[in-house]
Amino acid sequence: MHAPVRPSPFAPGERPKIQLMATCLCDAFYDDVARATVEVLEHLGVEVEFPEGQTCCGQPAFNGGDWPASRKVVRHTLRTFAGTAPVLLPSGSCAAMLRHGALLEFEKESDLPEVKALAARTWEFADFVVNALGVKTWPGRYDATIAFHRNCHNRGTGSEAASLALLNSIAGAKVVPFGEQEQCCGFGGTFSVAFPHVSSSMGTLKLDHIRAAQPDVLVSGDMSCLMHMGGLAQKAGQPIKTQHIAQVMRDALRNGGLLR
Amino acid sequence: MAKQLIDQAAATLPADKRVSVYQSTKATHEKRTKLLFDQFNDPDLLRQRAGEIKQHVIENLDTLLPAVEAKLKANGAQVHWASTGEAACEAVLRIMQAHGAKKMVKAKTMVSEEIELAHYLEKHGIEALETDLGEFIVQIDKDHPSHIVRPIIHKNRREIATSFEREGLGAYNDDPETITRRARQFLRHKYLEADVGLTGANFVSVESGRIVLVTNEGNSRFSLAAPKVHIALVGIEKLVPRDRDLGVLLNLLARSATAQQLTVYTEFISGPKGATQPDGPEEMHVIFVDNGRTEVLASDCREILRCIRCGACLNVCPVYRQASGHAYRSVYPGPVGAVLSPLLAGKKFPELADLPKASSLCGACNEVCPVNIPIPDLLLRLREKGKREGAPLASVGTPPMGAWALMASQPTAWKAALFGGKALNYLPTKLIPVPALRAWEEKRALPAWRGGEFRKWMKQRRKS
């Protein structure tokens, strides 16, 4: 879990190029998050390649204990994201699957070295912007009070500090603290349907803490957490506004007239 | 869709119990965090060091155990080896019978819970009385502990006052000080009457053969004051190589367990009463208990044997907070129990194969663990074992993944599903053919399906 912050994979002066893995949630539900990711990266001069054959990171089966099924999907991802360019995901959870989970389930497999190589060039969005591109502050304007949910897969990685640094640097944005910030939102993949009571109770508690801080928007680096909390709030008849950090950054550029 | 047993237990846990478990665990966790980060520059580094010490121990048991046996014997203790819980119970009984002993006072030991010692001794006509206040209350209520460090976290003082009244310890009075005073009065006599004092061991130093015990009530000290025989039940993983390793581990144990800098009592016992000492047990027996531990050591989950039983992972765990300890149906609840209990169950693994599922894999347990056990990784390994061995409890509520994996490894099928999924937007929930989606919609709204929209946009963008 405690992965050290990695150095930039790019040489000084080199035009950064990445392969985007949109993740299944953005592929199915949150196209605007994937769009914002592309717009932010291109604004930063990054060349974004989108391998058409991509599907999923394999996490659902990995967490479900069906490692042979999960390995099948990871192997597909290995083939789809061939080469040496960094693989970028707008999700701490999917990034953690490729960086850490896959290593566990491939421990005794002959293609472990390939999986390790993929893990080494996999990046979560905010971690990439700050630690691979060296961007420390974000331009534009975003007038809102933000509750930032640290997604659990970012525990101990460079992503949390990176996300907070970016959000705090935006003109007009104010990140507010709330109670029990270290606690999980209760999503947990299939946990949410196998443990519906515990999962929704965790989410409701989280929402209570967030609402007490009266933010304009709930921001995270993971659409799975936001889908859970947003879905719970909507079902309870008290919808809340949620945004991925890439959307906040894209909107800040737009508001500042910096996006073509 | 079927729900997991621990979810059912959480859903039916009375509200007052849930509130007391939540408030108590939350308060301890927050105090613990503040204390560690106020007092140490880098508590995470300390946790790593402690983890390395304990990892060294479990990887070197083959040499450390004979070494500690020699040291203990040199200190005047007698050493016994018990490969099973039953053998450990028998060893205790033999020692008691050799002294014609009928009465035992017990200071808190999780191993004795694990091997159900009190029950076994009772069958053989021996009174084994719990002297830890929480354990004492559990015992008179014929209940089970629900937390490693706070066995009665699920009870409130009104229930305890009622139990005391029932047991003839005084008229109903739920003032905590009165409850404590009454228990103390009752136990003082028992200490004096006891033939044998039984303890566990938080650590045993290989270097000095010292047994280290930590308590807040002084009950282990009392248990060893009057009785002529001391028996220590010790899990084989409880060793530390050197006395100075205790500097790291004791500092972390008290802070992690109860948010104290040090427990009120920390005892170092290096053998039976010496020739010049006026008091203390004349005989000391150390029973090393395996009871499945060498099998855990041989598995890919061996890191769980680093555990020092502080309970910090229980306190921070959102699932434990909702479900409380009894939901885990075993001596060790919470995240550590979800790993350790199914492993120690051996052949009965399938009966507890659902425990590793009781986690959103949020990783909070690893973040607080004083010996840095990668609990989420171990939960995942056990999920894989449950699935591979076809344990039915492991699969409750988890959709089968075969068809999904097939689709997710064929881009054409994946894209077809992305576009085809739009039908979901027009289907009422009760007609959605996917049980997991319906289960999702019981508690949360599902966002609109926009499968393939990003791909279209991306293609457009590349053209322009």
Side-chain angles (χ1 to χ4, degrees):
Chain A
M1 284 237 148
H2 294 267
V5 172
R6 291 170 292 175
S8 172
F10 307 114
E14 177 189 357
R15 182 176 181 200
K17 185 186 165 181
I18 60 111
Q19 296 179 300
L20 173 67
M21 184 163 186
T23 78
C24 60
L25 284 184
C26 291
D27 224 352
F29 298 112
Y30 302 107
D31 50 315
D32 188 58
V33 173
R35 283 210 301 261
T37 304
V38 173
E39 289 179 293
V40 165
L41 291 172
E42 291 189 347
H43 171 80
L44 290 168
V46 177
E47 188 185 331
V48 179
E49 188 204 332
F50 180 77
E52 274 284 322
Q54 63 181 274
T55 56
C56 168
C57 66
Q59 185 166 209
F62 173 66
N63 287 358
D66 191 346
W67 290 12
S70 174
R71 284 194 291 258
K72 194 171 181 171
V73 179
V74 171
R75 286 193 173 110
H76 172 73
T77 299
L78 268 178
R79 286 191 296 272
T80 311
F81 291 85
T84 54
V87 175
L88 182 141
L89 301 98
S91 157
S93 171
C94 309
M97 174 61 204
L98 295 181
R99 288 188 61 188
H100 180 76
L103 301 184
L104 280 185
E105 63 178 359
F106 276 79
E107 223 164 33
K108 292 171 192 153
E109 303 293 313
S110 60
D111 43 357
L112 177 64
E114 285 96 310
V115 176
K116 275 188 174 165
L118 178 67
R121 61 187 172 96
T122 295
W123 292 80
E124 181 274 334
F125 170 78
D127 186 20
F128 180 83
V129 170
V130 172
N131 296 310
L133 299 179
V135 173
K136 306 287 180 210
T137 57
W138 199 246
R141 184 151 198 101
Y142 188 87
D143 289 297
T145 309
I146 295 171
F148 178 71
H149 168 63
R150 173 186 80 162
N151 44 322
C152 292
H153 278 106
N154 281 350
R155 278 177 207 273
T157 72
S159 293
E160 187 189 6
S163 305
L164 285 171
L166 289 169
L167 289 173
N168 277 315
S169 72
I170 303 174
K174 184 171 175 254
V175 180
V176 287
F178 55 90
E180 299 195 86
Q181 283 189 249
E182 81 286 1
Q183 285 281 326
C184 171
C185 75
F187 174 63
T190 54
F191 174 80
S192 63
V193 289
F195 293 78
H197 175 82
V198 176
S199 165
S200 57
S201 303
M202 285 163 69
T204 304
L205 184 64
K206 189 97 209 170
L207 283 171
D208 289 347
H209 279 309
I210 290 167
R211 285 205 181 93
Q214 297 184 307
D216 298 314
V217 56
L218 170 63
V219 175
S220 179
D222 235 306
M223 289 320 294
S224 52
C225 313
L226 292 178
M227 180 169 87
H228 188 236
M229 288 185 279
L232 267 174
Q234 197 185 330
K235 191 88 179 179
Q238 293 174 284
I240 50 161
K241 185 182 175 190
T242 59
Q243 276 202 310
H244 189 274
I245 183 170
Q247 290 173 303
V248 172
M249 289 162 70
R250 188 263 323 267
D251 290 357
L253 292 178
R254 270 189 192 157
N255 297 339
L258 298 166
L259 208 62
R260 63 186 161 91
Chain B
M1 199 153 188
K3 290 164 191 169
Q4 281 273 348
L5 289 173
I6 290 182
D7 195 63
Q8 294 175 28
T12 51
L13 188 72
D16 59 332
K17 293 205 188 296
R18 195 186 59 245
V19 169
S20 50
V21 171
Y22 170 69
Q23 285 177 345
S24 164
T25 50
K26 175 177 183 283
T28 309
H29 165 68
E30 286 174 352
K31 265 193 263 172
R32 165 228 168 254
T33 308
K34 185 169 174 355
L35 193 63
L36 274 170
F37 283 85
D38 280 356
Q39 297 186 335
F40 298 121
N41 285 333
D42 192 350
D44 284 335
L45 188 62
L46 202 60
R47 295 190 309 112
Q48 280 172 38
R49 288 287 170 273
E52 286 160 12
I53 293 170
K54 289 297 292 185
Q55 186 69 20
H56 173 85
V57 167
I58 63 173
E59 283 174 11
N60 292 278
L61 281 178
D62 55 338
T63 54
L64 292 175
L65 283 170
V68 81
E69 178 179 27
K71 199 74 210 178
L72 284 164
K73 282 181 175 165
N75 290 349
Q78 299 176 47
V79 178
H80 312 256
W81 299 95
S83 58
T84 62
E86 211 168 27
C89 288
E90 283 163 10
V92 173
L93 183 66
R94 269 201 307 276
I95 298 165
M96 302 230 18
Q97 283 171 341
H99 290 84
K102 288 282 170 206
K103 289 186 175 179
M104 167 191 281
V105 279
K106 279 179 75 199
K108 190 166 183 269
T109 117
M110 291 301 291
V111 177
S112 77
E113 294 283 349
E114 183 187 314
I115 65 175
E116 296 176 46
L117 177 69
H119 184 64
Y120 174 89
L121 291 178
E122 199 186 318
K123 274 198 305 196
H124 288 84
I126 288 170
E127 179 191 282
L129 188 79
E130 301 288 353
T131 61
D132 171 274
L133 179 57
E135 293 281 338
F136 173 67
I137 291 161
V138 163
Q139 190 173 37
I140 62 173
D141 281 353
K142 297 187 171 57
D143 198 352
H144 294 284
S146 64
H147 188 287
I148 289 174
V149 175
R150 296 175 162 172
I152 52 165
I153 194 169
H154 62 292
K155 285 185 197 285
N156 60 43
R157 60 195 167 124
R158 291 175 297 282
E159 291 170 80
I160 297 166
T162 309
S163 301
F164 272 39
E165 189 176 33
R166 186 192 65 223
E167 296 296 316
L169 294 171
Y172 181 94
N173 186 329
D174 62 16
D175 165 43
E177 203 180 313
T178 306
I179 290 173
T180 313
R181 193 176 294 120
R182 283 173 174 175
R184 184 158 69 178
Q185 214 163 12
F186 176 81
L187 289 169
R188 287 287 152 102
H189 296 288
K190 296 291 184 179
Y191 290 125
L192 291 170
E193 292 166 6
D195 309 301
V196 170
L198 182 111
T199 69
N202 292 92
F203 306 100
V204 183
S205 163
V206 177
E207 180 184 9
S208 62
R210 281 183 176 138
I211 286 188
V212 184
L213 290 170
V214 301
T215 70
N216 277 317
E217 297 167 23
N219 54 314
S220 65
R221 203 162 177 174
F222 277 114
S223 298
L224 300 181
K228 295 293 172 213
V229 180
H230 172 204
I231 303 175
L233 273 180
V234 187
I236 55 168
E237 80 284 16
K238 287 285 166 191
L239 309 182
V240 293
R242 306 160 301 185
D243 283 11
R244 63 177 173 172
D245 299 322
L246 295 167
V248 177
L249 289 160
L250 284 171
N251 265 306
L252 279 168
L253 176 57
R255 284 175 176 82
S256 304
T258 45
Q260 290 170 290
Q261 301 191 54
L262 206 57
T263 43
V264 179
Y265 297 86
T266 304
E267 290 172 80
F268 299 84
I269 302 163
S270 41
K273 174 172 98 76
T276 56
Q277 289 167 311
D279 298 305
E282 287 157 13
E283 265 183 37
M284 178 176 170
H285 297 265
V286 178
I287 305 175
F288 282 108
V289 182
D290 183 326
N291 200 32
R293 285 164 175 73
T294 45
E295 278 173 54
V296 179
L297 191 61
S299 76
D300 56 4
C301 293
R302 67 185 62 86
E303 291 99 327
I304 201 66
L305 292 177
R306 290 182 200 163
C307 177
I308 58 172
R309 309 285 189 266
C310 71
C313 62
L314 280 62
N315 294 337
V316 79
C317 177
V319 179
Y320 177 87
R321 285 179 178 186
Q322 298 278 345
S324 186
H326 292 162
Y328 292 80
R329 314 190 305 282
S330 55
V331 179
Y332 304 104
V336 60
V339 177
L340 192 57
S341 297
L343 284 167
L344 289 180
K347 284 197 181 69
K348 290 185 174 170
F349 171 80
E351 289 174 26
L352 296 175
D354 61 313
L355 267 49
K357 295 289 225 183
S359 167
S360 64
L361 300 170
C362 76
C365 47
N366 170 246
E367 206 168 49
V368 301
C369 177
V371 284
N372 200 28
I373 301 173
I375 295 176
D377 288 359
L378 306 185
L379 292 169
L380 283 157
R381 288 186 198 280
L382 289 177
R383 289 180 183 191
E384 191 271 336
K385 176 180 158 77
K387 176 81 186 165
R388 178 165 33 87
E389 296 180 359
L393 283 180
S395 297
V396 175
T398 306
M401 296 290 173
W404 166 85
L406 205 64
M407 199 167 70
S409 43
Q410 289 172 359
T412 330
W414 184 261
K415 270 187 233 170
L418 276 181
F419 287 96
K422 287 216 167 106
L424 282 179
N425 293 341
Y426 311 103
L427 272 181
T429 307
K430 61 179 197 292
L431 292 181
I432 297 179
V434 186
L437 278 183
R438 286 168 63 171
W440 172 269
E441 286 232 293
E442 265 175 45
K443 303 277 186 188
R444 315 103 180 150
L446 196 66
W449 189 272
R450 295 182 53 83
E453 291 297 325
F454 172 67
R455 291 173 186 243
K456 273 197 260 175
W457 178 85
M458 199 67 188
K459 257 192 195 138
Q460 249 351 88
R461 190 174 177 88
R462 288 292 169 264
K463 273 185 210 155
S464 59

